[in-house]
Amino acid sequence: MEKKTITPIQKRFADADILGHVNNVNLQHYFDVGKSDWFRSVLGVEDFWEGEGIITAATRTSYLAQTRLQDEVAVETAIEKVGTKSFTLAQRIVGCDDGAVRAESSSVMVAFDFTRQVSIGIPAAWKEKMEDAL
């Protein structure tokens, strides 16, 4: 992950179970926060819900170590692959103190026209920025 965004995560009490572990569903929320940060930082786009946007087509996640409520963590996000209509983001949840990887995820994202409800080619301006971030 050479060119990446690093997004600190603020955990909430409700993120953890009775044993103090952050629930795996909430780790997926953390990955989504990292994606949103990446979209803003790399693509310079805030509003993805009208006109041209991005949807998630597939996600694969591996849970490698426990994340506890008291752990300070961040999400690292980097682009892994750019296609014609889709791209792949690689993400890791890491400990801020030790850099240990707690979970990692790979997501296939698709450019989408929300008005027509169809996939589209990645807009040229986005694709250029994505390729620069590889």
Side-chain angles (χ1 to χ4, degrees), residues 15-24 26 66-70:
D15 291 352
D17 61 22
I18 196 167
L19 300 174
H21 301 106
V22 174
N23 184 288
N24 289 350
N26 288 312
Q66 297 177 46
T67 301
R68 296 186 177 274
L69 190 58
Q70 68 271 20

Side-chain angles (χ1 to χ4, degrees), residues 59-109:
T59 299
R60 180 185 49 81
T61 302
S62 297
Y63 303 99
L64 306 172
Q66 297 177 46
T67 301
R68 296 186 177 274
L69 190 58
Q70 68 271 20
D71 296 338
E72 290 189 36
V73 295
V75 176
E76 298 177 346
T77 305
I79 192 153
E80 192 172 66
K81 178 181 173 184
V82 180
T84 304
K85 291 185 172 187
S86 67
F87 59 97
T88 303
L89 291 179
Q91 295 183 284
R92 301 187 306 190
I93 295 175
V94 299
C96 293
D97 59 343
D98 60 5
V101 179
R102 308 287 170 76
E104 55 189 14
S105 182
S106 176
S107 297
V108 176
M109 311 299 292

Side-chain angles (χ1 to χ4, degrees), residues 28-83:
Q28 289 299 321
H29 292 288
Y30 300 169
F31 284 128
D32 287 345
V33 170
K35 286 182 187 94
S36 295
D37 188 36
W38 189 88
F39 296 150
R40 280 189 300 277
S41 299
V42 175
L43 298 184
V45 178
E46 295 268 347
D47 184 10
F48 279 107
W49 318 123
E50 294 182 17
E52 295 175 341
I54 296 171
I55 59 172
T56 303
T59 299
R60 180 185 49 81
T61 302
S62 297
Y63 303 99
L64 306 172
Q66 297 177 46
T67 301
R68 296 186 177 274
L69 190 58
Q70 68 271 20
D71 296 338
E72 290 189 36
V73 295
V75 176
E76 298 177 346
T77 305
I79 192 153
E80 192 172 66
K81 178 181 173 184
V82 180

Side-chain angles (χ1 to χ4, degrees), residues 50-54 110-120:
E50 294 182 17
E52 295 175 341
I54 296 171
V110 176
F112 196 77
D113 182 325
F114 283 94
T115 303
R116 297 182 301 140
Q117 292 292 297
V118 295
S119 63
I120 58 174

